[in-house]
Amino acid sequence: MQTDDMQKDSILSTLGWSEHFSQQLSEDETTEHVGRVSSIHAVLMNVWGKFGKVQMPLPGNWLGGKAEAKPTVGDWLVLDKNKQYPVRMLERKTVFVRRSPQNEKTVQLVAANLDTVFIVSSLNHDFSLSRLERYLALAIQSGAQPVIILTKADEANQSFVGSCVADAKTLYQNVPVLAVDGREERTATLLKDWCGHGHSIALVGSSGVGKSTLINTMMKEEVTLTGAIRDADSKGRHTTSSRTLYLMPCGGTIMDVPGFRELQLPPCEEVVKEVFHDIQELIESCAFVDCQHDQEPDCAVQQAIAAGKLTQRRLDNYHKLLEEQARTGTERTYTKRQERQMAPRPKTGGRPRRRSGGGKKGGKKKKKK
Ligand SMILES: Nc1nc2c(ncn2[C@@H]2O[C@H](COP(=O)(O)OP(=O)(O)OP(=O)(O)O)[C@@H](O)[C@H]2O)c(=O)[nH]1
Ligand SMILES: [Zn+2]
């Protein structure tokens, strides 16, 4: 193979091209005509492939219809022979979605084909365990691996940093949690495990938490604007206004996502239950099948709170997120992988339980068998 061809092939793998996509090509489609959407501005897309970057409009007949059917940043497209328009979109590996702020019944696609989602929060007033739980549900629903990055560790008191890291680690299985100064060069080294060749990362988090700063650090140059924040409330000013995919020097891609003002989950009840797997396990041991975990006798959830093993905050957020799910109807699936994740999990064993007798609170306890 000529050096030129090898370089062209390597750009595709750096962009994240893999077997998952190549097996979707038909015999007359070649990798000369595939590209990844690197940014979208209104109806204009930038598409990146062996040919470099080309700009093309989103075809009119792709504009209507469901949000899921339209390309978003990170999607792979097959282009026509002259690379002037997209012919079709390849099936996604993963996709990060949120509920559309304009219409509760629809979703908004944020980024596609991510391997890792960096959930960024700063170690100041922005730090909120409940918000992190919400982001974790979004990341897990996407099919990508979540990593929590706590920025501005340099400005915070060390014991606050330590307790925030410890608390964040308890939120979901073995979720990695790192406290960093996003402006420091060594932060790129700390994060290198998630930035290998062909890996795709997106950063999500409130405005002003330091997402663009982290991107510049990973890129080893200023590729995106960062904004000073208002000291009084630690809130950002929404410096980043569009989603853009960058090629990192270490050989993967990184995507900046504007800070969200509203962050509603898409339909994903099973994922919410997975994030709160500890509560789900406790529920299996409540005396009553329809326990509301409020004032019922023998409620394993309340017993765990009394014993300091679960916080009331986490239980309240669990109820809040499930109520949001109930309001917005049935679950939908966005990729094959997500479909598999949605498959009902086998129930853990447990003793047979009884109904509380219909009462919401303090249901009448029936005699144990
Ligand atoms: N001390 C300190 N300042 C930081 C750190 N990370 C970011 N900043 C500062 O925080 C401000 C906001 O950072 P940005 O990177 O623009 O935040 P953002 O999350 O990209 O904000 P949006 O683009 O609005 O979503 C800038 O002034 C950064 O210099 C950090 O780890 N330590
Ligand atoms: Zn209970």
Side-chain angles (χ1 to χ4, degrees):
M1 206 189 280
Q2 298 289 312
T3 325
D4 208 26
D5 288 340
M6 276 161 64
Q7 274 174 353
K8 281 183 179 177
D9 271 346
S10 114
I11 180 87
L12 276 198
S13 61
T14 309
L15 281 168
W17 183 255
S18 67
E19 170 100 27
H20 173 89
F21 303 107
S22 59
Q23 68 187 9
Q24 297 179 49
L25 295 186
S26 65
E27 271 178 17
D28 54 346
E29 289 171 336
T30 74
T31 53
E32 299 301 317
H33 302 101
V34 296
R36 194 164 183 205
V37 180
S38 64
S39 60
I40 301 183
H41 304 280
V43 292
L44 276 184
M45 300 184 286
N46 277 307
V47 182
W48 210 340
K50 285 185 182 181
F51 40 80
K53 257 188 209 171
V54 290
Q55 199 171 63
M56 61 188 65
L58 215 83
N61 58 345
W62 287 27
L63 289 176
K66 283 188 174 176
E68 296 93 308
K70 283 177 239 173
T72 186
V73 178
D75 266 319
W76 282 97
L77 303 173
V78 177
L79 309 179
D80 75 297
K81 296 273 181 277
N82 298 320
K83 290 157 283 252
Q84 285 177 342
Y85 57 88
V87 176
R88 68 188 183 98
M89 185 168 73
L90 297 180
E91 189 195 283
R92 298 168 175 134
K93 236 173 22 171
T94 64
V95 60
F96 191 100
V97 298
R98 66 165 173 162
R99 194 185 308 279
S100 161
Q102 285 84 33
N103 179 354
E104 271 218 331
K105 297 284 170 212
T106 60
V107 294
Q108 192 179 68
L109 271 59
V110 176
N113 299 314
L114 301 172
D115 295 296
T116 308
V117 174
F118 282 173
I119 300 171
V120 189
S121 170
S122 44
L123 287 157
N124 51 28
H125 304 145
D126 178 74
F127 185 81
S128 152
L129 292 170
S130 297
R131 184 162 347 98
L132 287 177
E133 283 164 344
R134 190 178 277 274
Y135 271 113
L136 278 168
L138 282 161
I140 294 160
Q141 159 70 9
S142 79
Q145 188 206 358
V147 175
I148 296 177
I149 304 196
L150 305 177
T151 57
K152 312 196 185 180
D154 53 294
E155 286 182 342
N157 161 311
Q158 282 317 295
S159 68
F160 178 67
V161 174
S163 75
C164 291
V165 170
D167 288 348
K169 280 188 175 165
T170 64
L171 297 182
Y172 180 66
Q173 294 179 8
N174 298 320
V175 63
V177 181
L178 293 99
V180 302
D181 175 347
R183 305 162 306 169
E184 284 270 335
E185 239 179 84
R186 66 192 148 100
T187 298
T189 317
L190 279 177
L191 302 176
K192 72 174 177 0
D193 285 356
W194 296 282
C195 310
H197 187 87
H199 265 70
S200 278
I201 310 168
L203 290 93
V204 297
S206 311
S207 188
V209 294
K211 300 180 296 299
S212 305
T213 303
L214 267 174
I215 289 192
N216 290 339
T217 300
M218 311 289 287
M219 293 293 294
K220 304 190 191 304
E221 63 173 310
E222 294 245 333
V223 291
T224 175
L225 284 180
T226 62
I229 63 157
R230 296 188 300 258
D231 278 343
D233 56 5
S234 306
K235 294 230 172 83
R237 295 185 195 154
H238 293 273
T239 311
T240 308
S241 56
S242 67
R243 290 158 294 152
T244 310
L245 190 87
Y246 300 98
L247 220 49
M248 286 184 286
C250 57
T253 57
I254 194 158
M255 198 190 298
D256 201 2
V257 174
F260 296 126
R261 282 203 175 83
E262 281 179 62
L263 190 66
Q264 298 289 315
L265 299 182
C268 61
E269 188 180 326
E270 287 306 313
V271 171
V272 173
K273 289 180 178 169
E274 185 177 330
V275 172
F276 295 92
H277 59 99
D278 50 339
I279 297 182
Q280 287 299 120
E281 272 171 29
L282 288 167
I283 288 173
E284 297 281 327
S285 304
C286 288
F288 299 108
V289 184
D290 55 349
C291 184
Q292 303 291 308
H293 325 300
D294 193 354
Q295 290 167 15
E296 291 88 343
D298 286 346
C299 168
V301 176
Q302 283 303 330
Q303 283 167 358
I305 291 176
K309 292 180 183 155
L310 173 71
T311 59
Q312 186 65 44
R313 178 211 61 77
R314 185 161 165 91
L315 178 63
D316 291 346
N317 200 34
Y318 164 78
H319 281 139
K320 183 175 175 194
L321 296 186
L322 278 187
E323 273 160 25
E324 257 178 52
Q325 290 295 310
R327 261 208 332 267
T328 46
T330 54
E331 224 161 65
R332 265 189 299 178
T333 53
Y334 309 98
T335 67
K336 281 261 179 320
R337 190 159 142 189
Q338 283 162 341
E339 214 167 300
R340 282 199 298 278
Q341 285 178 345
M342 294 298 165
R345 282 153 186 271
K347 284 230 170 205
T348 51
R351 61 201 163 94
R353 293 172 304 153
R354 293 143 290 131
R355 298 213 153 261
S356 66
K360 191 173 185 279
K361 288 180 186 175
K364 211 174 161 198
K365 190 179 177 188
K366 290 181 185 166
K367 233 179 147 188
K368 285 188 180 172
K369 281 179 193 163

